[in-house]
Amino acid sequence: NAGVTQTPKFQVLKTGQSMTLQCAQDMNHNSMYWYRQDPGMGLRLIYYSASEGTTDKGEVPNGYNVSRLNKREFSLRLESAAPSQTSVYFCASRAGESGANVLTFGAGSRLTVL
Amino acid sequence: GEDVEQSLFLSVREGDSSVINCTYTDSSSTYLYWYKQEPGAGLQLLTYIFSNMDMKQDQRLTVLLNKKDKHLSLRIADTQTGDSAIYFCAETIGAGNMLTFGGGTRLMVKP
């Protein structure tokens, strides 16, 4: 049981380049999330998807787009990367529909924008 | 997250108890959580507490919630070197679908 799988694990981009971070979960979870982690700032929510076909903005959505093509996959796209988007990105999915938000996280994708 | 605050760093000796503290601002928090992040890995849920509880114990872990002061703590008894990690406090507000995380506390356990 793989849980949440993210690709790639590492990526270096030049300013202005585009890329997509991929995320897939095999736990049949409805809700999926993209967070970024910066030193001392914890995790900040970029976008989330409560179910297949729906997406909503989180705390820091500017410069990003997402796509929830099916129940398993939730991708994060940077159309024109900026150095401020250098970060570690985590995808997560949620068990259950109500009660506590128990999230399962992927291992992270470290992105550097030069 | 600006609504959840933690100290940045804690150092303890192996075998001692560790206490990691967290404060939050929103009185409508329904659940509060502790997640652990080991180097190079994603976050893993350690434990969570419902807002109508004062304490929860799970083996070496004790969570204390003081709703009046909006203060949450995680006590790790008999701390081991394998407990070295970053610990994140988080909250859910109301019936929401989102977590708000604190900045994380790096726990270093010295042999």
Side-chain angles (χ1 to χ4, degrees):
Chain A
N1 195 348
V4 178
T5 303
Q6 293 181 232
T7 56
K9 291 192 186 310
F10 301 94
Q11 183 72 49
V12 179
L13 293 177
K14 294 181 180 178
T15 297
Q17 287 185 315
S18 62
M19 78 157 299
T20 300
L21 299 177
Q22 305 286 353
C23 175
Q25 52 93 7
D26 61 2
M27 297 170 286
N28 202 36
H29 289 170
N30 282 325
S31 298
M32 297 185 72
Y33 307 80
W34 275 105
Y35 285 90
R36 60 177 289 174
Q37 182 181 23
D38 301 293
M41 299 184 73
L43 276 75
R44 292 181 292 169
L45 182 65
I46 304 170
Y47 271 94
Y48 70 100
S49 170
S51 61
E52 181 181 347
T54 68
T55 61
D56 286 285
K57 294 179 180 179
E59 182 185 354
V60 288
N62 291 343
Y64 305 95
N65 285 303
V66 289
S67 180
R68 183 82 182 271
L69 296 174
N70 52 57
K71 193 171 187 178
R72 288 189 67 246
E73 297 170 299
F74 187 38
S75 61
L76 178 71
R77 182 160 178 84
L78 287 70
E79 289 292 350
S80 178
S84 61
Q85 294 178 303
T86 293
S87 188
V88 181
Y89 291 85
F90 288 98
C91 178
S93 66
R94 177 187 177 184
E97 299 300 321
S98 60
N101 283 331
V102 177
L103 300 187
T104 300
F105 282 83
S109 299
R110 183 176 293 274
L111 175 66
T112 301
V113 183
L114 303 176
Chain B
E2 59 185 84
D3 298 324
V4 181
E5 294 189 355
Q6 306 176 234
S7 54
L8 285 178
F9 190 74
L10 176 65
S11 178
V12 300
R13 293 213 173 271
E14 190 174 19
D16 288 348
S17 292
S18 308
V19 179
I20 303 171
N21 295 300
C22 170
T23 57
Y24 59 97
T25 56
D26 200 312
S27 58
S28 58
S29 295
T30 49
Y31 290 92
L32 294 123
Y33 311 77
W34 285 103
Y35 278 81
K36 176 184 180 183
Q37 183 182 33
E38 296 182 353
L43 280 69
Q44 289 182 299
L45 178 69
L46 278 180
T47 186
Y48 65 89
I49 187 167
F50 188 47
S51 59
N52 68 353
M53 298 171 63
D54 296 324
M55 186 182 83
K56 182 177 181 180
Q57 189 154 1
D58 183 2
Q59 299 182 334
R60 292 191 297 122
L61 306 179
T62 303
V63 177
L64 294 178
L65 176 60
N66 181 330
K67 289 186 289 293
K68 174 176 172 290
D69 294 337
K70 299 189 183 67
H71 182 266
L72 182 76
S73 67
L74 174 69
R75 178 177 181 270
I76 305 173
D78 186 26
T79 312
Q80 302 298 306
T81 54
D83 294 323
S84 293
I86 302 175
Y87 291 80
F88 290 93
C89 172
E91 64 175 352
T92 298
I93 297 172
N97 195 22
M98 293 184 287
L99 289 178
T100 300
F101 286 88
T105 300
R106 183 178 295 274
L107 174 65
M108 178 180 289
V109 182
K110 298 178 181 177

